[in-house]
Each structure stands twice: as structure tokens, then as C-alpha cells.
Amino acid sequence: MKLEIDTEANAVKVDGKTLDLYSDEAFSVLSDLWVRVGWNQKYSYSFSWLGVPIIQLPEDMIRYQEAVWELQPDVIVETGVAHGGSAVFSASLCRLMGKGRVIAVDIEIRPHNRKRIEEHPFSDLITLIEGSSTDASVVENIRSQINPGEKVLVVLDSDHSYKHVMDELEAYSSLVTVGSWIVATDGLMQDLTDAPRGRGDWDVDNPAKAARDFAAQNPQFKIEPPAWPFNESTLSKNITHWPDAWLRRTG
Ligand SMILES: C[S@@+](CC[C@H](N)C(=O)[O-])C[C@H]1O[C@@H](n2cnc3c(N)ncnc32)[C@H](O)[C@@H]1O
């Protein structure tokens, strides 16, 4: 892509096409590029939530918060704990809402990360499970902790390979309540094949493709990101690391 930004003429030229700088289309082009460069520069590795590092784009955290508030889940299942920031983020929403708890699984929970999570004021709302998210005993352990009738939201943020995400979708989708979502995060990989930190095969080996293929094979799920509850702009497109991530269970 060839991009020229002229702040004196208020114009953005994209591959020869000129856009008004102050247009939704120009904002979309600029934000896509900002997300891409920011991903490469590890912008999402520069935040913490209530003292715990969280590896997310803040835009995704805010949109996620909107969905959690709308949904009011009883249980949030998360794969991929890392330092624990997303588990603490979800637990903090549960505490504020006065309902819900988090079950979080990671193949390796390092002792210092476990300690920080277990000593956190919201640790009473978090159950940590160590093991591979697709291990049958891990899935069964999680299933056994969910009571009949509880509203369940699932967020997949572990191994982002197509196969692993597809296996997770198959293992966890039956836990998801009708009306809720299973979220296959970090599909942005599909657009990063030629970024310096990207990989050439990510055009096919990525979570977004797994989510799309899963939806095609499972008509009770459809790709449907949460609607914006508030929007006084003319914008409608998420700025996100999670394209095609939100699989809503409709039946
Ligand atoms: C991107 S990080 C998670 C970030 C975290 N959700 C956050 O927002 O801060 C991915 C994590 O997935 C874990 N992981 C990788 N393969 C896994 C697997 N098969 N099962 C469970 N966790 C896995 C890694 O150990 C790593 O901690």
C-alpha cells in the first residue's frame, strides 16, 4: 500500500485514491495502519490492569467490557493466562457487577504469575487451571465447575494456531450459553504476514479463519461482534486485534 498523508490539504492518498482526511474511510485506513504498526512494536505488551500485565489492545478491552456488561455472565472461561491480566480484568468486571467468576487455564502458569494472581484482591473470583486447554481432563474439569443454567462466556487466547483454536472451539463451544459468545482472539495475525514480526503462513494459520470455518460448519454459531451500546459517531468498525473473533451462539 502506498499512503500519503497531507495535513495541510486535509487529504489521505491511498494507492492513488484521495480521501478527505476527516472522513470515516480515512480514519479506517489510518487506524488499520496504526493497529498493524502498533502490533509490530508490541504496543499491546505495554499495559497492566489493577497491577497485573495484560496483553491486549485497550480498544478490545473496552469492547469486551461492553459485551460482559450486556451479557452479565455467571462464568467467564478464559484460555491463555500469561501474567494474569485478562483474568483479573474479567474478575474485576465480575466484582463491579456483583456477579460472575472466572475459570482461567494455561499450559504453564509460572510461579511468580500464580503468586501475583493468588495474592490479588480479586483472586477469590479466579480459579486457575494448569494444563493444555484442549486436554480432555482440563475441559472436563472446567465443565464440572459450571452449574446447570449458568450463563457462560468463553474467551480463547492461548495458542493461536488454526488447529489449536479449531480444537478449542470444538471442545468449548458446547459450554457457551445461547446468546453468549466464544471469542477467538488475535485473528489480526491474518493481516500480518508481511509485518517484520509476522509469519508468511499466518494468512491461513490464524484464529479468524478457524472462527469463520467453525461458523460455516456449526450453524448455531455466527460471527457477530457485540453491538456498540453507545455511538454518537458515524463510525461502526472496531479497531481491534480480534477480527472475526466473536462467535455468537444463536441456537
Ligand atoms: C497471549 S498469552 C495470554 C494473554 C492473556 N490472556 C492476557 O490477556 O494477558 C498466551 C498464553 O497461552 C498459553 N498457552 C499456549 N499454548 C497453550 C495451550 N495449549 N493451552 C493453554 N494455554 C496455552 C501460553 O502459555 C501463554 O501464557
Side-chain angles (χ1 to χ4, degrees), residues 105-171:
V105 51
D106 199 293
I107 198 162
E108 184 191 7
I109 304 173
R110 300 203 177 139
H112 62 281
N113 288 330
R114 178 182 286 279
K115 184 168 185 290
R116 183 165 39 201
I117 298 165
E118 287 179 351
E119 288 176 355
H120 197 275
F122 297 153
S123 65
D124 58 317
L125 294 174
I126 302 172
T127 302
L128 290 176
I129 298 174
E130 189 163 53
S132 177
S133 55
T134 51
D135 187 304
S137 67
V138 168
V139 178
E140 203 33 58
N141 183 356
I142 294 171
R143 189 182 294 279
S144 73
Q145 295 185 45
I146 299 170
N147 302 313
E150 285 191 313
K151 203 186 285 177
V152 180
L153 170 69
V154 179
V155 182
L156 307 175
D157 190 23
S158 67
D159 172 343
H160 295 308
S161 65
Y162 176 90
K163 179 175 184 332
H164 187 78
V165 176
M166 188 55 101
D167 288 349
E168 286 187 322
L169 288 167
E170 269 151 20

Side-chain angles (χ1 to χ4, degrees), residues 35 49-50 52 59 72 75 79 97 100 128 132 162-164 186 191 213 219 227 233 244 246:
V35 166
W49 184 257
L50 304 178
V52 185
E59 275 75 1
Q72 299 275 317
V75 184
T79 70
M97 294 188 303
L128 290 176
S132 177
Y162 176 90
K163 179 175 184 332
H164 187 78
D186 281 359
D191 303 318
D213 289 354
S233 76
D244 288 346
W246 294 83

Side-chain angles (χ1 to χ4, degrees), residues 43-64:
Y43 176 60
S44 60
Y45 284 72
S46 68
F47 298 94
S48 62
W49 184 257
L50 304 178
V52 185
I54 181 166
I55 306 166
Q56 299 297 343
L57 191 68
E59 275 75 1
D60 285 320
M61 294 160 60
I62 296 292
R63 294 295 174 208
Y64 172 73

